Coordinates of all heavy atoms in Angstrom, one line a residue:
E16 N 125.5 131.5 -55.0 CA 125.7 132.8 -54.6 C 126.9 133.4 -55.3 O 126.9 134.6 -55.7 CB 126.0 132.9 -53.1 CG 124.8 132.4 -52.2 CD 125.2 132.2 -50.8 OE1 126.4 132.4 -50.4 OE2 124.3 131.8 -50.1
K17 N 128.0 132.7 -55.5 CA 129.2 133.2 -56.2 C 128.9 133.6 -57.6 O 129.2 134.7 -58.1 CB 130.3 132.2 -56.1 CG 131.6 132.6 -56.7 CD 132.7 131.6 -56.6 CE 134.0 132.1 -57.2 NZ 135.1 131.1 -57.0
A18 N 128.2 132.7 -58.3 CA 127.8 133.0 -59.7 C 126.9 134.1 -59.9 O 127.0 135.0 -60.8 CB 127.2 131.7 -60.4
V19 N 125.9 134.2 -58.9 CA 125.0 135.3 -59.0 C 125.6 136.7 -58.8 O 125.4 137.6 -59.5 CB 123.8 135.1 -58.0 CG1 122.9 136.3 -57.9 CG2 123.0 133.9 -58.3
T20 N 126.5 136.8 -57.8 CA 127.1 138.1 -57.5 C 128.1 138.5 -58.7 O 128.1 139.6 -59.0 CB 127.9 138.1 -56.2 OG1 128.8 137.0 -56.1 CG2 127.0 138.0 -55.0
A21 N 128.8 137.5 -59.2 CA 129.7 137.8 -60.3 C 128.9 138.2 -61.6 O 129.3 139.2 -62.3 CB 130.5 136.6 -60.7
E22 N 127.8 137.5 -61.8 CA 127.0 137.9 -63.0 C 126.3 139.3 -62.8 O 126.3 140.1 -63.7 CB 125.8 136.9 -63.2 CG 125.0 137.1 -64.4 CD 125.8 137.1 -65.7 OE1 126.8 136.3 -65.8 OE2 125.4 137.8 -66.7
A23 N 125.9 139.6 -61.6 CA 125.3 140.9 -61.3 C 126.3 142.0 -61.5 O 126.0 143.1 -62.0 CB 124.7 140.9 -59.9
L24 N 127.5 141.7 -61.0 CA 128.6 142.7 -61.1 C 128.8 143.1 -62.6 O 128.9 144.2 -63.0 CB 129.9 142.1 -60.5 CG 131.1 143.0 -60.6 CD1 131.2 143.9 -59.4 CD2 132.4 142.1 -60.6
H25 N 128.9 142.1 -63.5 CA 129.1 142.3 -64.9 C 127.9 142.9 -65.6 O 128.0 143.8 -66.4 CB 129.5 141.0 -65.6 CG 130.8 140.5 -65.1 ND1 132.0 141.2 -65.3 CD2 131.2 139.4 -64.4 CE1 133.0 140.5 -64.8 NE2 132.5 139.4 -64.2
F26 N 126.7 142.4 -65.2 CA 125.5 142.9 -65.8 C 125.3 144.4 -65.6 O 125.0 145.2 -66.5 CB 124.3 142.2 -65.3 CG 123.0 142.7 -65.9 CD1 122.6 142.2 -67.2 CD2 122.2 143.5 -65.2 CE1 121.4 142.7 -67.7 CE2 121.0 144.0 -65.7 CZ 120.6 143.6 -67.0
F27 N 125.5 144.8 -64.3 CA 125.3 146.2 -63.9 C 126.6 147.1 -64.2 O 126.6 148.3 -63.9 CB 124.9 146.4 -62.5 CG 123.5 145.9 -62.2 CD1 123.3 144.7 -61.5 CD2 122.4 146.5 -62.8 CE1 122.0 144.2 -61.3 CE2 121.1 146.1 -62.5 CZ 120.9 144.9 -61.8
D28 N 127.7 146.4 -64.6 CA 128.9 147.1 -64.9 C 129.4 147.9 -63.6 O 129.7 149.1 -63.7 CB 128.9 148.0 -66.1 CG 130.2 148.5 -66.5 OD1 131.2 147.7 -66.3 OD2 130.3 149.6 -67.1
S29 N 129.3 147.3 -62.5 CA 129.6 147.9 -61.2 C 130.9 147.5 -60.7 O 131.6 146.6 -61.2 CB 128.5 147.6 -60.2 OG 128.4 146.2 -59.9
D30 N 131.4 148.2 -59.7 CA 132.7 147.9 -59.1 C 132.5 146.8 -58.0 O 133.5 146.1 -57.6 CB 133.3 149.1 -58.5 CG 133.7 150.1 -59.5 OD1 134.1 149.7 -60.6 OD2 133.7 151.3 -59.3
R31 N 131.3 146.7 -57.4 CA 131.1 145.8 -56.3 C 129.7 145.4 -56.3 O 128.8 146.1 -56.5 CB 131.4 146.5 -54.9 CG 131.2 145.7 -53.7 CD 131.5 146.5 -52.4 NE 132.8 147.1 -52.4 CZ 133.9 146.5 -52.1 NH1 133.9 145.2 -51.8 NH2 135.0 147.1 -52.0
C32 N 129.5 144.1 -55.9 CA 128.1 143.6 -55.8 C 128.2 142.5 -54.7 O 129.2 141.8 -54.6 CB 127.7 142.9 -57.1 SG 126.0 142.3 -57.1
Y33 N 127.1 142.4 -53.9 CA 127.2 141.4 -52.9 C 125.8 140.8 -52.6 O 124.8 141.4 -53.0 CB 127.8 141.9 -51.5 CG 127.1 143.2 -51.0 CD1 126.0 143.1 -50.2 CD2 127.7 144.4 -51.3 CE1 125.4 144.3 -49.7 CE2 127.1 145.6 -50.8 CZ 126.0 145.5 -50.0 OH 125.4 146.6 -49.5
Y34 N 125.8 139.6 -52.0 CA 124.6 138.9 -51.6 C 124.6 138.9 -50.1 O 125.6 138.5 -49.5 CB 124.7 137.5 -52.2 CG 123.6 136.6 -51.6 CD1 122.3 136.6 -52.1 CD2 123.9 135.7 -50.5 CE1 121.4 135.7 -51.6 CE2 122.9 134.9 -50.0 CZ 121.7 134.9 -50.5 OH 120.7 134.1 -50.0
C35 N 123.5 139.4 -49.5 CA 123.4 139.4 -48.1 C 122.0 138.9 -47.6 O 121.1 138.9 -48.3 CB 123.8 140.7 -47.5 SG 122.5 142.0 -47.6
T36 N 122.0 138.5 -46.3 CA 120.8 138.2 -45.6 C 120.7 139.1 -44.4 O 121.7 139.7 -44.0 CB 120.7 136.7 -45.2 OG1 121.9 136.5 -44.3 CG2 120.8 135.8 -46.4
I37 N 119.5 139.3 -44.0 CA 119.2 140.1 -42.8 C 118.8 139.2 -41.6 O 117.9 138.5 -41.7 CB 118.1 141.2 -43.0 CG1 118.4 142.0 -44.3 CG2 117.9 142.0 -41.8 CD1 119.7 142.8 -44.2
E38 N 119.6 139.2 -40.6 CA 119.4 138.4 -39.4 C 119.6 139.1 -38.1 O 120.7 139.7 -38.0 CB 120.3 137.1 -39.5 CG 120.0 136.3 -40.7 CD 121.0 135.1 -40.7 OE1 121.5 134.7 -39.7 OE2 121.1 134.5 -41.8
E39 N 118.6 139.2 -37.2 CA 118.8 139.7 -35.9 C 119.4 141.1 -35.9 O 120.4 141.4 -35.2 CB 119.6 138.8 -35.0 CG 118.9 137.4 -34.8 CD 119.7 136.4 -34.0 OE1 120.7 136.9 -33.4 OE2 119.3 135.3 -34.0
G40 N 118.9 142.0 -36.8 CA 119.4 143.3 -36.8 C 120.8 143.6 -37.5 O 121.3 144.6 -37.4
S41 N 121.2 142.6 -38.2 CA 122.5 142.7 -38.9 C 122.3 142.3 -40.4 O 121.5 141.4 -40.7 CB 123.6 141.8 -38.3 OG 123.9 142.3 -37.0
A42 N 123.1 143.0 -41.2 CA 123.2 142.6 -42.6 C 124.4 141.7 -42.7 O 125.5 142.0 -42.3 CB 123.4 143.8 -43.6
I43 N 124.2 140.4 -43.2 CA 125.3 139.5 -43.2 C 125.7 139.3 -44.7 O 124.9 138.7 -45.5 CB 125.0 138.1 -42.6 CG1 124.6 138.4 -41.1 CG2 126.1 137.2 -42.7 CD1 124.0 137.2 -40.4
I44 N 126.8 139.8 -45.1 CA 127.2 139.7 -46.5 C 127.9 138.3 -46.6 O 129.0 138.1 -46.1 CB 128.2 140.8 -46.9 CG1 127.4 142.2 -46.8 CG2 128.7 140.6 -48.3 CD1 128.3 143.4 -47.1
R45 N 127.2 137.5 -47.4 CA 127.7 136.1 -47.5 C 128.6 135.8 -48.6 O 129.5 135.0 -48.6 CB 126.5 135.2 -47.6 CG 125.6 135.3 -46.4 CD 124.7 134.1 -46.2 NE 123.9 134.2 -45.0 CZ 124.3 133.9 -43.8 NH1 125.5 133.5 -43.6 NH2 123.5 134.0 -42.7
R46 N 128.4 136.6 -49.7 CA 129.3 136.5 -50.9 C 129.4 137.8 -51.5 O 128.4 138.5 -51.6 CB 128.7 135.4 -51.8 CG 129.4 135.2 -53.1 CD 130.7 134.4 -52.9 NE 130.4 133.1 -52.5 CZ 131.3 132.2 -52.2 NH1 132.5 132.5 -52.4 NH2 130.9 131.0 -51.8
D47 N 130.5 138.2 -52.0 CA 130.7 139.4 -52.8 C 131.6 139.2 -54.0 O 132.4 138.3 -54.1 CB 131.1 140.6 -51.9 CG 132.5 140.3 -51.2 OD1 133.0 139.2 -51.2 OD2 133.0 141.3 -50.6
A48 N 131.4 140.1 -54.9 CA 132.2 140.2 -56.1 C 132.7 141.6 -56.3 O 131.9 142.5 -55.9 CB 131.4 139.7 -57.4
F49 N 133.9 141.8 -56.7 CA 134.4 143.1 -56.8 C 135.5 143.2 -57.8 O 136.1 142.2 -58.2 CB 135.0 143.5 -55.4 CG 135.8 142.5 -54.7 CD1 137.1 142.3 -55.0 CD2 135.2 141.5 -53.9 CE1 137.9 141.3 -54.3 CE2 135.9 140.5 -53.3 CZ 137.2 140.4 -53.5
R50 N 135.7 144.4 -58.3 CA 136.8 144.7 -59.4 C 138.1 144.7 -58.7 O 138.3 144.8 -57.5 CB 136.5 146.0 -60.1 CG 135.1 146.1 -60.7 CD 135.1 145.4 -62.0 NE 133.8 145.6 -62.6 CZ 133.3 144.9 -63.6 NH1 134.1 144.0 -64.2 NH2 132.1 145.1 -64.1
N51 N 139.1 144.6 -59.6 CA 140.5 144.7 -59.1 C 140.8 145.9 -58.3 O 140.2 147.0 -58.6 CB 141.5 144.7 -60.3 CG 141.5 143.4 -61.1 OD1 141.1 142.4 -60.5 ND2 141.9 143.4 -62.3
G52 N 141.6 145.8 -57.3 CA 141.9 146.9 -56.4 C 141.0 147.1 -55.2 O 141.3 147.8 -54.3
L53 N 139.9 146.4 -55.2 CA 139.0 146.4 -54.1 C 139.1 145.1 -53.3 O 139.7 144.2 -53.7 CB 137.5 146.6 -54.5 CG 137.2 147.9 -55.3 CD1 135.7 147.8 -55.8 CD2 137.4 149.1 -54.4
H54 N 138.6 145.1 -52.1 CA 138.7 143.9 -51.2 C 137.3 143.4 -50.8 O 136.3 144.1 -51.0 CB 139.5 144.3 -50.0 CG 138.9 145.3 -49.2 ND1 138.9 146.7 -49.5 CD2 138.1 145.3 -48.1 CE1 138.2 147.4 -48.6 NE2 137.7 146.5 -47.7
S55 N 137.3 142.2 -50.4 CA 136.0 141.6 -49.9 C 135.5 142.3 -48.7 O 136.3 142.8 -47.8 CB 136.3 140.1 -49.6 OG 135.1 139.6 -49.0
I56 N 134.2 142.5 -48.7 CA 133.6 143.1 -47.5 C 132.6 142.0 -46.8 O 131.7 142.4 -46.1 CB 132.8 144.4 -47.8 CG1 131.7 144.2 -48.9 CG2 133.8 145.5 -48.2 CD1 130.8 145.4 -49.0
A57 N 132.8 140.8 -47.1 CA 132.0 139.7 -46.5 C 132.1 139.8 -45.0 O 133.2 140.0 -44.5 CB 132.4 138.3 -47.1
G58 N 131.0 139.7 -44.4 CA 130.9 139.7 -42.9 C 129.6 140.2 -42.4 O 128.6 140.3 -43.2
S59 N 129.5 140.5 -41.1 CA 128.3 140.9 -40.5 C 128.3 142.3 -40.1 O 129.4 142.7 -39.5 CB 128.0 140.0 -39.3 OG 126.8 140.3 -38.6
Y60 N 127.3 143.1 -40.4 CA 127.3 144.5 -40.1 C 126.0 144.9 -39.5 O 124.9 144.7 -40.0 CB 127.5 145.3 -41.4 CG 128.8 144.9 -42.1 CD1 128.7 144.0 -43.1 CD2 130.0 145.5 -41.7 CE1 129.9 143.6 -43.7 CE2 131.1 145.1 -42.3 CZ 131.1 144.1 -43.3 OH 132.3 143.7 -44.0
P61 N 126.0 145.6 -38.3 CA 124.8 146.0 -37.6 C 124.0 147.1 -38.5 O 124.6 148.0 -39.0 CB 125.3 146.7 -36.3 CG 126.7 146.2 -36.1 CD 127.2 145.9 -37.5
L62 N 122.8 146.8 -38.7 CA 122.0 147.7 -39.6 C 121.9 149.2 -39.1 O 121.9 150.1 -39.8 CB 120.5 147.2 -39.7 CG 120.4 145.9 -40.6 CD1 119.0 145.4 -40.5 CD2 120.8 146.2 -42.0
N63 N 122.0 149.3 -37.7 CA 121.9 150.7 -37.2 C 123.1 151.6 -37.5 O 123.1 152.8 -37.3 CB 121.6 150.7 -35.7 CG 122.7 150.0 -34.9 OD1 123.7 149.6 -35.4 ND2 122.4 149.9 -33.6
Q64 N 124.2 151.0 -38.0 CA 125.4 151.8 -38.4 C 125.4 152.2 -39.8 O 126.2 153.1 -40.2 CB 126.6 150.9 -38.1 CG 126.9 150.7 -36.7 CD 128.3 149.9 -36.5 OE1 129.0 149.7 -37.5 NE2 128.6 149.6 -35.3
F65 N 124.4 151.7 -40.6 CA 124.4 152.0 -42.1 C 123.1 152.4 -42.5 O 122.2 151.5 -42.8 CB 125.0 150.8 -42.9 CG 126.3 150.3 -42.4 CD1 126.5 149.2 -41.6 CD2 127.4 151.0 -42.8 CE1 127.8 148.8 -41.2 CE2 128.7 150.6 -42.4 CZ 128.9 149.5 -41.6
D66 N 122.8 153.7 -42.6 CA 121.5 154.2 -43.1 C 121.1 153.6 -44.4 O 119.9 153.4 -44.6 CB 121.6 155.7 -43.2 CG 121.8 156.4 -41.8 OD1 121.5 155.8 -40.8 OD2 122.3 157.5 -41.8
L67 N 122.1 153.4 -45.3 CA 121.8 152.9 -46.6 C 121.1 151.5 -46.5 O 120.1 151.3 -47.3 CB 123.1 152.7 -47.4 CG 122.9 152.1 -48.8 CD1 122.0 152.9 -49.6 CD2 124.3 152.0 -49.4
F68 N 121.5 150.6 -45.7 CA 120.8 149.3 -45.6 C 119.4 149.5 -45.2 O 118.5 148.8 -45.7 CB 121.5 148.4 -44.6 CG 122.9 147.9 -45.0 CD1 123.9 147.7 -44.1 CD2 123.1 147.6 -46.3 CE1 125.1 147.2 -44.5 CE2 124.3 147.1 -46.7 CZ 125.3 146.9 -45.8
N69 N 119.1 150.4 -44.3 CA 117.7 150.6 -43.9 C 116.9 151.2 -45.0 O 115.7 150.9 -45.1 CB 117.7 151.6 -42.6 CG 118.3 150.8 -41.4 OD1 117.8 149.7 -41.1 ND2 119.2 151.4 -40.7
V70 N 117.4 152.1 -45.8 CA 116.7 152.7 -46.9 C 116.3 151.6 -47.9 O 115.2 151.5 -48.4 CB 117.5 153.8 -47.6 CG1 116.8 154.2 -48.9 CG2 117.6 155.0 -46.7
V71 N 117.3 150.7 -48.2 CA 117.0 149.6 -49.1 C 115.9 148.7 -48.6 O 115.0 148.3 -49.3 CB 118.3 148.8 -49.4 CG1 118.0 147.6 -50.2 CG2 119.3 149.7 -50.2
L72 N 116.0 148.4 -47.3 CA 115.0 147.5 -46.7 C 113.6 148.2 -46.7 O 112.6 147.5 -47.0 CB 115.4 147.2 -45.3 CG 116.5 146.2 -45.1 CD1 116.9 146.1 -43.7 CD2 116.2 144.8 -45.7
E73 N 113.5 149.4 -46.4 CA 112.2 150.1 -46.3 C 111.6 150.3 -47.7 O 110.4 150.2 -47.8 CB 112.4 151.5 -45.7 CG 112.7 151.4 -44.2 CD 113.1 152.8 -43.6 OE1 113.0 153.8 -44.3 OE2 113.6 152.8 -42.5
T74 N 112.4 150.6 -48.7 CA 111.8 150.8 -50.0 C 111.7 149.6 -50.9 O 110.9 149.5 -51.8 CB 112.7 151.9 -50.8 OG1 114.0 151.3 -51.1 CG2 112.8 153.2 -50.1
G75 N 112.5 148.6 -50.6 CA 112.5 147.4 -51.4 C 113.2 147.6 -52.8 O 113.1 146.7 -53.7
L76 N 113.9 148.7 -52.9 CA 114.5 149.0 -54.2 C 116.0 148.9 -54.1 O 116.6 149.1 -53.1 CB 114.2 150.5 -54.6 CG 112.7 150.8 -54.8 CD1 112.5 152.3 -55.0 CD2 112.1 150.0 -56.0
P77 N 116.7 148.5 -55.2 CA 118.1 148.4 -55.2 C 118.8 149.8 -55.1 O 118.1 150.8 -55.4 CB 118.5 147.7 -56.5 CG 117.3 148.0 -57.4 CD 116.1 148.1 -56.5
F78 N 120.0 149.8 -54.6 CA 120.7 151.1 -54.5 C 121.9 151.0 -55.4 O 122.7 150.1 -55.3 CB 121.1 151.4 -53.1 CG 122.0 152.6 -52.9 CD1 121.4 153.8 -53.0 CD2 123.3 152.5 -52.8 CE1 122.2 155.0 -52.9 CE2 124.1 153.6 -52.7 CZ 123.6 154.8 -52.7
V79 N 122.1 152.0 -56.2 CA 123.3 152.1 -57.1 C 123.9 153.5 -56.8 O 123.2 154.5 -56.9 CB 122.9 152.0 -58.6 CG1 124.2 152.2 -59.4 CG2 122.3 150.6 -58.8
A80 N 125.1 153.6 -56.4 CA 125.8 154.8 -56.3 C 126.8 155.0 -57.4 O 127.7 154.2 -57.6 CB 126.5 154.9 -54.9
N81 N 126.6 156.1 -58.2 CA 127.5 156.4 -59.3 C 128.8 156.8 -58.7 O 129.9 156.6 -59.4 CB 126.9 157.4 -60.2 CG 125.7 156.8 -61.0 OD1 125.7 155.7 -61.3 ND2 124.7 157.6 -61.2
D82 N 128.8 157.4 -57.6 CA 130.0 157.9 -56.9 C 129.8 157.8 -55.4 O 129.1 158.7 -54.9 CB 130.4 159.3 -57.4 CG 131.8 159.8 -56.9 OD1 132.3 159.2 -55.9 OD2 132.3 160.7 -57.4
V83 N 130.4 156.9 -54.7 CA 130.2 156.8 -53.3 C 130.8 158.0 -52.5 O 130.3 158.2 -51.4 CB 130.9 155.5 -52.7 CG1 130.2 154.3 -53.2 CG2 132.4 155.5 -52.9
H84 N 131.6 158.8 -53.2 CA 132.2 160.0 -52.5 C 131.2 161.1 -52.4 O 131.3 162.0 -51.6 CB 133.4 160.4 -53.2 CG 134.5 159.4 -53.2 ND1 135.3 159.1 -52.1 CD2 135.0 158.5 -54.2 CE1 136.1 158.2 -52.3 NE2 136.0 157.8 -53.6
T85 N 130.2 161.1 -53.3 CA 129.2 162.2 -53.4 C 127.8 161.8 -53.0 O 126.9 162.7 -52.9 CB 129.2 162.8 -54.8 OG1 128.8 161.9 -55.8 CG2 130.6 163.4 -55.1
S86 N 127.5 160.5 -52.9 CA 126.2 160.1 -52.5 C 125.8 160.5 -51.1 O 126.6 160.3 -50.2 CB 126.0 158.6 -52.7 OG 124.8 158.1 -52.2
E87 N 124.6 161.0 -50.9 CA 124.2 161.5 -49.6 C 123.8 160.3 -48.7 O 123.8 160.4 -47.5 CB 122.9 162.4 -49.7 CG 123.2 163.7 -50.4 CD 122.0 164.5 -50.6 OE1 120.9 164.2 -50.0 OE2 122.1 165.6 -51.2
L88 N 123.6 159.1 -49.2 CA 123.2 157.9 -48.4 C 124.4 157.2 -47.9 O 124.3 156.3 -47.1 CB 122.3 157.0 -49.2 CG 120.9 157.5 -49.4 CD1 120.1 156.5 -50.3 CD2 120.2 157.7 -48.1
V89 N 125.6 157.4 -48.5 CA 126.8 156.7 -48.1 C 127.5 157.5 -47.0 O 128.1 158.6 -47.2 CB 127.8 156.5 -49.3 CG1 129.1 155.8 -48.8 CG2 127.1 155.7 -50.4
N90 N 127.3 157.0 -45.7 CA 127.9 157.7 -44.6 C 129.4 157.3 -44.4 O 129.9 156.5 -45.1 CB 127.1 157.5 -43.3 CG 127.1 156.0 -42.9 OD1 127.9 155.2 -43.3 ND2 126.2 155.7 -42.0
E91 N 130.1 157.9 -43.5 CA 131.5 157.7 -43.3 C 131.8 156.2 -42.9 O 132.8 155.6 -43.4 CB 132.0 158.6 -42.2 CG 132.1 160.0 -42.6 CD 133.1 160.3 -43.7 OE1 134.2 159.6 -43.8 OE2 132.7 161.1 -44.6
A92 N 130.9 155.6 -42.1 CA 131.1 154.2 -41.8 C 131.1 153.3 -43.0 O 132.0 152.4 -43.2 CB 130.1 153.7 -40.8
L93 N 130.1 153.5 -43.9 CA 130.0 152.7 -45.1 C 131.2 153.0 -46.1 O 131.7 152.1 -46.7 CB 128.7 152.9 -45.8 CG 128.4 152.1 -47.0 CD1 128.5 150.6 -46.7 CD2 127.0 152.4 -47.5
L94 N 131.5 154.3 -46.2 CA 132.6 154.7 -47.1 C 133.9 154.1 -46.7 O 134.7 153.6 -47.5 CB 132.7 156.2 -47.1 CG 133.7 156.8 -48.2 CD1 133.2 156.4 -49.6 CD2 133.7 158.3 -48.0
S95 N 134.2 154.0 -45.4 CA 135.4 153.4 -44.9 C 135.4 151.9 -45.2 O 136.5 151.3 -45.4 CB 135.7 153.7 -43.4 OG 134.7 153.0 -42.7
L96 N 134.3 151.3 -45.2 CA 134.2 149.9 -45.5 C 134.4 149.5 -46.9 O 135.1 148.5 -47.2 CB 132.8 149.4 -45.1 CG 132.4 147.9 -45.4 CD1 133.2 147.0 -44.4 CD2 130.9 147.7 -45.2
V97 N 133.9 150.3 -47.9 CA 134.0 149.9 -49.3 C 135.2 150.4 -50.0 O 135.5 149.9 -51.1 CB 132.7 150.4 -50.0 CG1 131.5 149.7 -49.5 CG2 132.6 151.9 -50.1
L98 N 136.0 151.2 -49.4 CA 137.2 151.7 -50.1 C 138.4 151.0 -49.6 O 138.5 150.4 -48.7 CB 137.4 153.2 -49.9 CG 136.3 154.1 -50.5 CD1 136.5 155.5 -50.2 CD2 136.1 153.8 -51.9

């Protein structure tokens, strides 16, 4: 998990990447990789608080936000988590 998240972070040239599983209505971030200045967000998060997780699950497509401050799918709860 650690190698995969780190490799994905570099491959996509992103600021944050994480590996999670979905269990009993929660997204459980088991491993994450992030750039300097950011913090780990590993933990368990109820899916009903984050519309973005539900969109990713419904579409089966990855989500990339070029700017979390302007993305319509990033709600206040998610924004406060990632910054």
Side-chain angles (χ1 to χ4, degrees):
E16 297 168 2
K17 182 177 181 179
V19 171
T20 54
E22 184 63 29
L24 180 86
H25 296 295
F26 179 81
F27 292 110
D28 193 29
S29 60
D30 292 330
R31 179 183 304 281
C32 182
Y33 54 85
Y34 168 83
C35 76
T36 58
I37 307 300
E38 298 177 20
E39 299 178 9
S41 292
I43 301 171
I44 298 175
R45 301 200 176 277
R46 178 73 66 180
D47 58 349
F49 42 90
R50 302 279 181 195
N51 291 338
L53 297 177
H54 61 281
S55 174
I56 59 170
S59 181
Y60 304 95
L62 289 172
N63 63 3
Q64 290 183 5
F65 303 102
D66 296 337
L67 174 59
F68 288 145
N69 291 308
V70 169
V71 170
L72 288 174
E73 290 171 11
T74 64
L76 300 172
F78 174 77
V79 176
N81 292 323
D82 185 342
V83 294
H84 299 285
T85 60
S86 173
E87 293 178 9
L88 288 175
V89 178
N90 64 17
E91 289 298 319
L93 185 56
L94 188 61
S95 68
L96 175 69
V97 299
L98 297 179

